[in-house]
Amino acid sequence: VGHSFNSMRHAAFRIKFVTFSKQRFQARHRVCAAIVAAFVVVVLVECVLCNVPFFRSLAASGDSAAAYNTLGPGLERRDDGLLEVTDPTQAYLQVAADGSSEYVRIVPVSDEVMGGVPAGSRVLRTVRVRADADRVAGSLCSVSLDSSRSLYVRAAAGRTVRVQVVEPKGSLIPFDAVRANVRVPFSVSPLRVALLVLVMVLVALWRPGSRLWKVPLNTSSVRQRVTLGVLLTVPGLVTVAAVAWQLVSAVPLSFHTDGMYTYDYDQYDHVARALLDGHAWLDLDVPDALRDADNPYDVTTRQQLLADGVSPVYWDYAFFDGRWYSYFGVVPALLLFVPYRAITSLWVDGGLMMPSGAAVPLLMFVFLVFACLLTIRVIERVRPHVSLAAVSMLCVFVVLASNAPYLWYRTNFYSVPIAASLLLSTLGLWLWMGAVHPNAADAGGDGGANTVESLSLPRLAAGSVCIAANVGCRPSFVVVAFAAFPLFWPQIRAIVGQLRAIASGSGVRGRARTVLHALRTPLAVLVPALVVVVPLFAYNMVRFSSPFDFGSSYQLTVTDMTSYHQSWSNFVWTVAYYLFLPLRWTDTFPFLAVDPAPLKDWGFAEAMPGGLFVMVPLALAALACPFLRKRMRVRGHAGMWPTLVMFLLLGLLIVALDARLGGLGWRYIADFGWLFALASLPLMLIALDCERPRLRWLLRVLVLALLLFTLSLTVLSLFLYGRDDELIRNNSGLFHDVQSWFTLM
């Protein structure tokens, strides 16, 4: 019998082993098949679809009468070989064609010609053109000398092609000729291939049938932690490269034109040097005429000073009591700019400057890390053991909703305090949530006393330091401190109970408690916060004679900020624009445009493509959070409900503060977008883990589609005309390379 039993057991083991091996073989086979299929799709899209202009122009004769270009009466050829626009209505180059190709090529002047152009000449490296053929008007586009692909322009096949130069009078155009009947060369773009691969990987991982939906979240799993670390290594390496390049190529960013303001973008370096020299004011020249002016904040007074040649008058610096100051938070200077200049002074006299372009990527990478960790911690509290597919999607969603891509793109000093506050706020909340045991978060009633003992005082103190430090970055973020009340409500009730028991003379659980012991937890929160806040208030006192005056009223900008007040009509519209400003689509690249945001009265309004709920539709799920208490209670995690509702309320509060105090700014969405995203997590987790299979499949597809929609808008927004730091000016080659993907089709 024993022998038969062992034989049966071995046979069963062999069957299981064979079955398992077969399943592994089939899984590997499916993975290999998917990789091959993806490779085929990428090759077909890149080599066929994206090279339609090449196949369409294969029959082109290649013959062109380019030597016989006819110049319109609005263009003149100068002796140095450049073209000058004398009449914009008649500025064109015309060439005969044989109709064998729908494309023309603009031939730029030689490098020798460009090298001989005197400095300061108005030579355009980016030129707007329109290619008309046989009186059939073409589409307006731009070409760049930095992008050879953009020099091919599509025009209707005809016998005469006229390339109209759409630039103002006096512009110098570096065109030698226009050639017709051309063949567009075959092209493989590494950037386009990388984007295709990225999209296919995301779809493969997040599609409803993906294996990633079957792997539950396990924060104690070493394998999952290592995987997260590996994924974050990629942006980490990019950050290191960007920071190193910025540090090596750092130059002072100060610009001045006679009769104009002086634009100096090294505010934080000036603050660092001032602090190292032992004073709060910036060591910048102050013209006597500006110091002696009756009201230097009056716009008319400043304009007269500039007209009289008074310089420098620094734009967007705080001017108070005859000295220059920075009204931007000092904490980033203490964290990065001061240490860098102090360390580099060991081998370079006076130290080296850290540019904002190095500080912002560094701050944003650390924010990325803790934004993901905070999102995972919230997910674990709301719906533990949810799939890794849902977790990864929601991490990407939170980062996109936080407006982080805007800050990664625009790395000047305006982004520094916002990036620092994003980092400190997410880190502080992560520490606070980690200070209480997950089970204790749902404790209530009489069980609260035990939860106080389980709190980690070091984490409480560290979280308080981080959140209090927002006072020295972007002060509106400090309202995040109110999240402590719902987050630690059971512990607060327990502490109040202990104090009452001490006051009445009775013991707590059989033993007396001293007041100091009962207050050690709130002191662990308050004392570190005061250690941070008090010096910051003293810093304000030294500068502006008030602990609560950060100096923003003394900035020299488009209006007199000492008397300016946002009207209530502007306030209402600004709040609406922040959340619901609609998208404005166009028929030319980048197919999206900044949407005007008209206000009844003057107010600061930065061009932006859309409001938060329009750019990130999934963030609308935050509005459902107040109504999900019962659903979260059924899941046994009602303790997180008040905290997430508080996130929603704090997000609305910051929207109101920004609208009232700051106006409408695209970058200001970073102040509150991440809070709305965190408040959206409960409804999105319920949708992604729906119990009805068909509805679950549909909801996962919907979330995936909306997330890809947000990703697409984020990418397109980088190419917008009219935004600050336009890519067409900062990196004309990249802009026109991408534009050519669409204009030649």
Side-chain angles (χ1 to χ4, degrees):
V1 172
H3 178 73
S4 300
F5 177 77
N6 289 333
S7 299
M8 293 174 61
R9 186 176 60 182
H10 292 156
F13 175 78
R14 285 195 297 270
I15 293 174
K16 291 181 179 180
F17 178 78
V18 171
T19 303
F20 177 73
S21 300
K22 184 177 180 180
Q23 291 175 347
R24 290 189 62 182
F25 175 78
Q26 292 175 344
R28 291 178 179 177
H29 179 73
R30 287 193 296 268
V31 170
C32 292
I35 293 175
V36 171
F39 176 78
V40 172
V41 170
V42 170
V43 170
L44 290 176
V45 172
E46 177 64 22
C47 297
V48 179
L49 181 61
C50 295
N51 275 282
V52 166
F54 166 75
F55 296 106
R56 184 179 287 166
S57 60
L58 277 177
S61 65
D63 298 326
S64 174
Y68 304 102
N69 276 186
T70 301
L71 296 182
L75 280 181
E76 289 185 0
R77 179 76 66 181
R78 301 186 350 155
D79 294 338
D80 57 9
L82 297 174
L83 295 174
E84 182 176 358
V85 178
T86 57
D87 181 3
T89 63
Q90 298 293 322
Y92 62 82
L93 295 90
Q94 184 171 300
V95 62
D98 60 15
S100 62
S101 174
E102 296 180 347
Y103 301 93
V104 296
R105 179 177 179 268
I106 297 173
V107 182
V109 297
S110 64
D111 293 337
E112 290 76 13
V113 172
M114 290 297 293
V117 176
S121 300
R122 295 184 57 190
V123 181
L124 302 180
R125 295 188 64 85
T126 298
V127 183
R128 291 173 295 174
V129 299
R130 189 186 69 242
D132 306 333
D134 293 346
R135 300 182 181 274
V136 177
S139 299
L140 181 67
C141 64
S142 61
V143 299
S144 173
L145 270 62
D146 300 315
S147 171
S148 60
R149 190 76 171 176
S150 72
L151 297 175
Y152 291 88
V153 181
R154 188 177 181 186
R159 296 296 176 180
T160 302
V161 178
R162 176 178 292 184
V163 176
Q164 186 81 28
V165 176
V166 188
E167 295 295 346
K169 182 179 179 179
S171 300
L172 299 182
I173 312 300
F175 290 174
D176 184 62
V178 172
R179 295 185 180 275
N181 316 320
V182 297
R183 299 186 184 95
V184 179
F186 187 87
S187 172
V188 175
S189 169
L191 176 60
R192 190 165 54 204
V193 171
L195 290 176
L196 285 172
V197 171
L198 176 62
V199 171
M200 295 191 68
V201 169
L202 293 180
V203 172
L205 293 176
W206 293 341
R207 63 184 177 84
S210 168
R211 185 180 178 185
L212 205 60
W213 289 101
K214 301 176 183 178
V215 182
L217 172 67
N218 182 6
T219 55
S220 62
S221 170
V222 176
R223 183 176 182 180
Q224 291 188 14
R225 291 185 177 188
V226 171
T227 301
L228 177 62
V230 171
L231 291 175
L232 291 174
T233 299
V234 177
L237 294 176
V238 174
T239 300
V240 170
V243 170
W245 182 81
Q246 287 285 345
L247 293 177
V248 170
S249 59
V251 294
L253 296 177
S254 182
F255 310 96
H256 174 73
T257 303
D258 292 340
M260 300 291 290
Y261 288 93
T262 298
Y263 296 88
D264 192 317
Y265 294 97
D266 298 322
Q267 282 207 23
Y268 271 100
D269 181 63
H270 294 314
V271 173
R273 287 190 291 178
L275 294 176
L276 289 172
D277 290 339
H279 52 76
W281 45 268
L282 306 184
D283 190 15
L284 297 173
D285 293 336
V286 180
D288 293 336
L290 179 65
R291 182 186 292 109
D292 298 336
D294 294 335
N295 183 10
Y297 309 107
D298 179 65
V299 176
T300 304
T301 300
R302 280 186 273 136
Q303 292 294 344
Q304 185 60 50
L305 291 174
L306 292 172
D308 294 340
V310 175
S311 177
V313 179
Y314 289 97
W315 177 261
D316 223 3
Y317 278 65
F319 184 72
F320 181 77
D321 199 19
R323 296 186 186 275
W324 294 109
Y325 297 91
S326 174
Y327 65 90
F328 292 89
V330 70
V331 167
L334 295 172
L335 292 176
L336 296 175
F337 294 85
V338 170
Y340 182 76
R341 184 168 279 278
I343 293 173
T344 55
S345 65
L346 298 177
W347 60 84
V348 177
D349 187 25
L352 297 176
M353 176 190 71
M354 169 176 276
S356 298
V360 174
L362 187 59
L363 294 170
M364 289 304 297
F365 171 70
V366 184
F367 159 73
L368 172 65
V369 173
F370 286 103
C372 292
L373 293 178
L374 177 61
T375 302
I376 293 171
R377 184 157 282 176
V378 171
I379 291 172
E380 185 184 25
R381 299 288 175 84
V382 174
R383 208 173 185 90
H385 308 303
V386 72
S387 67
L388 290 183
V391 173
S392 58
M393 292 177 75
L394 294 180
C395 286
V396 173
F397 158 68
V398 170
V399 172
L400 292 176
S402 70
N403 205 26
Y406 177 94
L407 301 177
W408 269 311
Y409 174 83
R410 195 165 187 241
T411 58
N412 60 13
F413 70 94
Y414 290 104
S415 300
V416 172
I418 302 177
S421 278
L422 280 172
L423 185 163
L424 292 168
S425 298
T426 51
L427 173 57
L429 288 175
W430 179 76
L431 289 168
W432 273 0
M433 290 187 65
V436 57
H437 191 275
N439 294 331
D442 295 315
D446 297 334
N450 288 334
T451 65
V452 178
E453 302 298 332
S454 66
L455 286 175
S456 170
L457 298 185
R459 292 187 181 185
L460 283 176
S464 296
V465 167
C466 292
I467 293 177
N470 283 312
V471 174
C473 297
R474 187 155 174 80
S476 59
F477 275 79
V478 81
V479 301
V480 173
F482 287 110
F485 291 98
L487 189 60
F488 301 116
W489 185 245
Q491 292 80 9
I492 294 173
R493 291 179 58 189
I495 292 171
V496 172
Q498 292 174 7
L499 294 176
R500 286 179 178 176
I502 293 172
S504 63
S506 61
V508 178
R509 294 201 174 186
R511 56 194 181 96
R513 301 267 186 169
T514 64
V515 174
L516 183 60
H517 186 271
L519 292 179
R520 64 173 187 163
T521 299
L523 288 176
V525 175
L526 295 175
V527 172
L530 291 174
V531 169
V532 174
V533 170
V534 170
L536 293 175
F537 285 163
Y539 179 69
N540 287 342
M541 190 73 184
V542 170
R543 296 188 301 164
F544 307 117
S545 303
S546 172
F548 306 107
D549 192 342
F550 293 89
S552 58
S553 297
Y554 309 118
Q555 57 180 299
L556 300 189
T557 182
V558 293
T559 190
D560 183 352
M561 296 301 294
T562 60
S563 59
Y564 172 74
H565 298 285
Q566 179 86 292
S567 67
W568 285 108
S569 61
N570 276 11
F571 168 77
V572 174
W573 279 108
T574 302
V575 170
Y577 290 147
Y578 267 130
L579 300 179
F580 300 105
L581 182 67
L583 300 174
R584 187 160 70 95
W585 298 100
T586 66
D587 57 356
T588 57
F589 182 81
F591 313 111
L592 186 66
V594 293
D595 203 355
L599 298 172
K600 181 180 178 181
D601 304 310
W602 181 90
F604 172 72
E606 180 184 358
M608 50 191 282
L612 172 65
F613 293 149
V614 178
M615 294 283 288
V616 192
L618 290 173
L620 279 167
L623 303 180
C625 188
F627 309 100
L628 298 177
R629 183 175 185 177
K630 291 184 179 179
R631 291 295 300 270
M632 296 178 69
R633 178 178 295 172
V634 169
R635 294 289 177 178
H637 296 277
M640 278 301 297
W641 177 80
T643 302
L644 295 173
V645 172
M646 178 60 76
F647 287 161
L648 173 61
L649 296 177
L650 293 177
L652 293 171
L653 175 61
I654 295 179
V655 171
L657 290 174
D658 283 347
R660 181 63 179 168
L661 303 177
L664 181 68
W666 187 356
R667 63 181 180 270
Y668 297 158
I669 293 179
D671 294 350
F672 53 82
W674 63 285
L675 289 167
F676 282 100
L678 292 175
S680 303
L681 295 180
L683 181 60
M684 294 184 65
L685 288 168
I686 292 172
L688 293 173
D689 200 22
C690 179
E691 296 176 354
R692 299 172 60 183
R694 292 186 178 180
L695 181 59
R696 180 174 64 237
W697 185 91
L698 181 62
L699 290 173
R700 289 178 178 178
V701 170
L702 177 62
V703 171
L704 173 59
L706 291 176
L707 192 56
L708 292 178
F709 171 76
T710 298
L711 278 168
S712 301
L713 288 182
T714 301
V715 174
L716 290 177
S717 68
L718 301 177
F719 297 85
L720 287 179
Y721 294 100
R723 66 168 294 167
D724 291 323
D725 294 341
E726 289 179 317
L727 189 64
I728 193 173
R729 290 185 287 111
N730 291 340
N731 194 334
S732 178
L734 174 61
F735 179 93
H736 286 90
D737 281 344
V738 176
Q739 178 187 252
S740 68
W741 300 352
F742 306 94
T743 56
L744 296 181
M745 298 295 285

